Amino acid sequence: MTINALNLITKTASCSVMGDYAIKHKMTVPYSKAKKGDVVLYDFNHNGTSDHTGIIYKVEGGKIYVVEGNTSTGNNCNGGMVMKRVRTKSCVNYIVRPKYDQVVTADMVVATALSQVGVKESPSGSNRVKFNTWFYGKEVRGSDYPWCMVFVCWCFAHAGIKNEDKKKEEVKSITKPTGKYSGTIPNPTLKKGSGGTRVKDLQKLLNWYGNFKLDTDGEFGAKTEHAVRVFQKTEKITDDGIYGKDSYAKAKAYKKEEPKETTTTATVKTKDQKLEDAINELAWA
């Protein structure tokens, strides 16, 4: 069964709104009581307004270990990546304690957050990232769409979905290419975890098909799986992310035909030519 844990906090893109909500609903706890699963709101500018957030996955030695969205080592609150960070009390505004229960646990939320470490916005500095697409219901980009709080909301919204029941996020079709592909069409079946030359050929094909800018490293990872799903969605076949027989058939239709060798008339003669030759031979006999 799918469980949406987002009701344990509030759906907002604003850290300050989250802080106000937590105070109103008496969800804040002292820094000394912080524990795994708590949401931390930072005040890096020390002006009393929360400007960044994350989900605590460990507390140790007076420090909190946090999974944060839209951060980097060079930019605490607008770095464009999901990362693990280590913080101290000096930058914390509030520690927020969601009311977990037996259905939705802190472990579930933390596991979901940790599974996203390494996800980046693309291109860098654009705020174009899957968490924003989920939050706004469409692809957005630009300075009006910071996503650290959006990331936290995404983690809570997806935390109650068991791995075996997890539905893949919706993908959208793109405009089909009009030309033909001159590269190699790899044979099926390829899926997440596959590797080798055939995966590399698939990545080259997908980059031609949709300009996905995949690294042609021969490793079938999350980005390659997503590109396969977009290809499948566009070709109106099941978008399961597995490059199987149906995907192969659709891909093969884009293959550029190799020019056939032309046979000269000196080596192949029509029936009429053969008959004419026979008549000529009789005439000279």
Side-chain angles (χ1 to χ4, degrees):
M1 180 174 64
T2 299
I3 305 162
N4 189 334
L6 189 55
N7 60 359
L8 295 180
I9 52 173
T10 186
K11 187 177 182 181
T12 178
S14 168
C15 294
S16 59
V17 168
M18 181 63 211
D20 292 343
Y21 178 89
I23 292 170
K24 180 179 179 180
H25 291 83
K26 299 179 179 179
M27 297 170 65
T28 59
V29 297
Y31 180 86
S32 60
K33 301 292 185 181
K35 66 180 183 179
K36 181 179 181 180
D38 287 347
V39 175
V40 56
L41 293 167
Y42 303 105
D43 179 12
F44 291 120
N45 295 322
H46 301 290
N47 60 5
T49 301
S50 299
D51 47 30
H52 191 58
T53 186
I55 298 171
I56 298 174
Y57 69 91
K58 184 173 71 171
V59 179
E60 187 175 276
K63 298 178 181 180
I64 54 175
Y65 294 73
V66 190
V67 184
E68 300 171 11
N70 202 15
T71 189
S72 71
T73 54
N75 191 327
N76 280 324
C77 52
N78 194 23
M81 185 176 180
V82 180
M83 293 182 65
K84 294 179 180 179
R85 306 301 303 269
V86 182
R87 306 293 191 185
T88 58
K89 183 179 180 180
S90 62
C91 61
V92 172
N93 205 15
Y94 302 114
I95 300 292
V96 179
R97 173 84 33 91
K99 295 180 181 179
Y100 295 112
D101 54 30
Q102 293 181 345
V103 178
V104 180
T105 66
D107 286 342
M108 292 164 64
V109 172
V110 168
T112 302
L114 288 170
S115 72
Q116 300 303 304
V117 171
V119 174
K120 301 178 181 179
E121 61 188 34
S122 179
S124 178
S126 67
N127 287 326
R128 178 178 174 268
V129 68
K130 71 175 186 178
F131 312 112
N132 266 342
T133 301
W134 163 79
F135 188 90
Y136 295 101
K138 62 180 181 179
E139 183 180 290
V140 296
R141 62 175 68 199
S143 59
D144 291 336
Y145 301 100
W147 52 275
C148 61
M149 190 66 233
V150 168
F151 169 71
V152 170
C153 290
W154 186 95
C155 291
F156 275 83
H158 291 74
I161 306 175
K162 295 181 180 180
N163 287 335
E164 60 268 25
D165 297 329
K166 189 174 289 185
K167 295 182 179 179
K168 294 181 180 293
E169 289 188 32
E170 186 71 19
V171 294
K172 296 181 180 180
S173 60
I174 59 177
T175 303
K176 293 183 180 182
T178 55
K180 292 290 185 179
Y181 182 64
S182 59
T184 301
I185 305 295
N187 291 325
T189 297
L190 299 169
K191 59 184 178 180
K192 194 171 184 180
S194 298
T197 302
R198 286 192 298 146
V199 174
K200 188 177 292 187
D201 288 337
L202 175 61
Q203 291 167 332
K204 290 178 181 178
L205 168 65
L206 292 168
N207 283 339
W208 170 84
Y209 185 90
N211 192 29
F212 294 104
K213 298 181 180 179
L214 300 172
D215 292 332
T216 53
D217 54 7
E219 297 294 330
F220 198 125
K223 291 183 179 180
T224 301
E225 181 184 55
H226 175 77
V228 169
R229 291 189 62 217
V230 173
F231 169 84
Q232 292 169 328
K233 185 80 171 182
T234 304
E235 294 297 329
K236 297 182 179 180
I237 56 178
T238 303
D239 58 311
D240 58 4
I242 299 173
Y243 178 80
K245 292 181 179 179
D246 290 343
S247 298
Y248 173 69
K250 291 292 186 180
K252 200 172 180 181
Y254 287 97
K255 176 65 177 175
K256 184 178 181 180
E257 293 185 7
E258 299 294 335
K260 296 181 180 179
E261 292 185 7
T262 56
T263 306
T264 63
T265 54
T267 57
V268 178
K269 295 183 178 181
T270 65
K271 290 182 178 180
D272 290 341
Q273 288 173 324
K274 290 179 179 179
L275 178 60
E276 185 178 347
D277 289 345
I279 293 172
N280 289 335
E281 287 179 8
L282 290 173
W284 286 99

